[in-house]
Amino acid sequence: MTIEAPIAADTLAELAALRHRASRTPIRIPETGPAAPTTFRVGDTVAAVLGTIGAVVGDLVQDRGGPAQEVSVDPRHAVAALAMSTLTREKGPDGQWVAPAVPPEREIAKSAIRPWPTRDGGHVLPHLSLPNLQARMLDLLGCKLSSEAVAAAVATWEADALEEAIAARRVCGGKVRTEAEWRAHPQGAMLAARPVITIERIGDAPPEPVPGGDRPLSGLKVLDLTRILAGPVAARTLAEHGAEVLMVAAGKTPQVAEFVRDTSHGKRSCFLDLDRAGDAARLHELVRSADVFSQGYRPGTLGARGFAPADLAAARPGIVCLSASCYGHGGPLSDRAGWEQVAQAVTGMCHEQGLPGAPELVPLPACD
């Protein structure tokens, strides 16, 4: 299974509507009006996704003789789900509940991740969140980490040249486009011609039912090789409905603490470094007993280490392989890495969110 991204809100609403017509589990999304500080229908979109998930789970329950249910998702609650990493509180030394401390360098980096003007009148968003990518980006820009320094450095480039230089350095960032420019771009046109989710057969195997048990997905074994938001939320969703999820990461891989707290509920975790033969062999062992393999690494990264979908299907016939990628699969930009903010920049969201000549990020991870 491949999730193509970025995805327009109307497309996701259409997906939920199709599921609603095909499902025995009715979905109800009440009209609540705007639920987020943006003109995009973020609340309705996320409610549509959550409702679709609920309908699938409801159908599974009925398939096993359970009761029929209705799924109802309030768009305001859906928006709150997007913001959970900022709503988390911990008990401080005085017993009061406070927001977990964020390292100062991360706060500085977050303030610098935004669209900055280029010398030709365009804008480029450089991504500076993770230490390894941040170091390479600052080296490319030739500046220190601060909003002022990054803005001054970006202003010396033309937008197209900087976007290509970012890709050549294998860091993350993107040129701010209008929606029309994205749709006219070969990558945008390719994605527009494809469904939201594509399913490709990667091998032959007899059909397998979801094992079942006390919860809808009990007995399902999932390997989660993702981080930050989109992929971890997918695996967390399976865990919420009873799947046994093992999160796998290398100890040296940078993470973001607030997202680990938000997306790791219901999972177990381990460290495996696939550059070490013994650790790679251990993952191969885990694959042979897994039902789902979910990964969000830069395209080609795991394939080069023997974990391409065809390799996984040969080792474990019937396995479901999920791949989430910023630019989708196929097209001229498909080998590039990216995060939520980059997706917003290149597809026209930043352009729509801001004022003329001053693009802004939607203040919620709507794409992830």
Side-chain angles (χ1 to χ4, degrees):
M1 181 181 291
T2 300
I3 294 181
E4 304 290 5
I7 301 171
D10 56 347
T11 305
L12 281 174
E14 178 184 351
L15 174 66
L18 288 171
R19 180 65 204 172
H20 182 95
R21 290 196 293 271
S23 174
R24 289 162 291 152
T25 302
I27 304 169
R28 187 172 66 86
I29 300 175
E31 293 285 343
T32 61
T38 175
T39 59
F40 290 99
R41 294 176 60 191
V42 172
D44 292 337
T45 302
V46 180
V49 176
L50 296 175
T52 303
I53 293 167
V56 173
V57 173
D59 285 357
L60 281 172
V61 171
Q62 287 191 67
D63 287 343
R64 296 180 185 139
Q69 302 173 74
E70 177 186 81
V71 175
S72 178
V73 185
D74 188 317
R76 296 167 298 183
H77 298 169
V79 167
L82 290 187
M84 284 308 298
S85 64
T86 63
L87 300 176
T88 302
R89 296 293 180 265
E90 64 183 11
K91 189 171 288 189
D94 60 356
Q96 299 299 309
W97 292 97
V98 296
V102 177
E105 61 273 15
R106 173 152 172 76
E107 290 285 11
I108 295 171
K110 287 168 63 177
S111 70
I113 303 174
R114 63 178 64 182
W116 297 110
T118 55
R119 72 183 185 197
D120 58 348
H123 289 80
V124 168
L125 182 146
H127 204 280
L128 297 148
S129 184
L130 298 176
N132 56 333
L133 298 177
Q134 180 188 112
R136 297 209 303 272
M137 179 66 77
L138 295 176
D139 182 63
L140 170 63
L141 295 175
C143 69
K144 302 293 185 181
L145 179 61
S146 73
S147 296
E148 297 78 11
V150 171
V154 171
T156 67
W157 288 79
E158 294 187 354
D160 287 329
L162 180 53
E163 183 177 57
E164 291 306 310
I166 287 171
R169 287 287 187 100
R170 294 179 66 78
V171 287
C172 295
K175 171 186 171 181
V176 173
R177 293 173 173 82
T178 65
E179 180 187 358
E181 288 171 338
W182 176 246
R183 291 187 180 275
H185 190 282
Q187 192 71 31
M190 186 277 294
L191 289 175
R194 301 184 67 171
V196 174
I197 295 174
T198 60
I199 301 176
E200 302 174 8
R201 189 182 184 90
I202 56 175
D204 294 323
E208 300 177 36
V210 177
D214 293 340
R215 298 168 66 193
L217 299 183
S218 293
L220 196 74
K221 293 185 176 181
V222 180
L223 291 173
D224 176 24
L225 279 77
T226 67
R227 57 182 172 145
I228 309 301
L229 278 178
V233 167
R236 184 189 67 187
T237 301
L238 298 177
E240 286 170 346
H241 296 290
E244 182 182 332
V245 179
L246 178 63
M247 181 169 57
V248 181
K252 62 187 179 185
T253 303
Q255 296 277 8
V256 178
E258 58 261 41
F259 297 151
V260 173
R261 285 192 295 266
D262 183 31
T263 64
S264 301
H265 302 298
K267 304 178 186 179
R268 292 182 297 157
S269 63
C270 70
F271 290 133
L272 292 175
D273 185 344
L274 301 186
D275 290 329
R276 303 157 114 180
D279 285 10
R282 179 64 182 128
L283 183 58
H284 276 293
E285 291 178 19
L286 291 168
V287 165
R288 284 192 281 271
S289 63
D291 300 298
V292 177
F293 185 97
S294 177
Q295 71 90 20
Y297 283 90
R298 183 189 293 267
T301 299
L302 292 185
R305 291 164 170 79
F307 295 95
D311 300 322
L312 298 168
R316 197 297 198 194
I319 196 168
V320 174
C321 300
L322 169 65
S323 176
S325 179
C326 181
Y327 289 95
H329 299 261
L333 306 185
S334 60
D335 63 336
R336 299 184 182 185
W339 305 102
E340 164 79 30
Q341 299 93 333
V342 179
Q344 290 194 27
V346 302
T347 59
M349 290 185 69
C350 285
H351 178 265
E352 291 290 328
Q353 177 71 12
L355 299 172
E360 295 181 8
L361 287 164
V362 175
L364 289 164
C367 299
D368 283 344

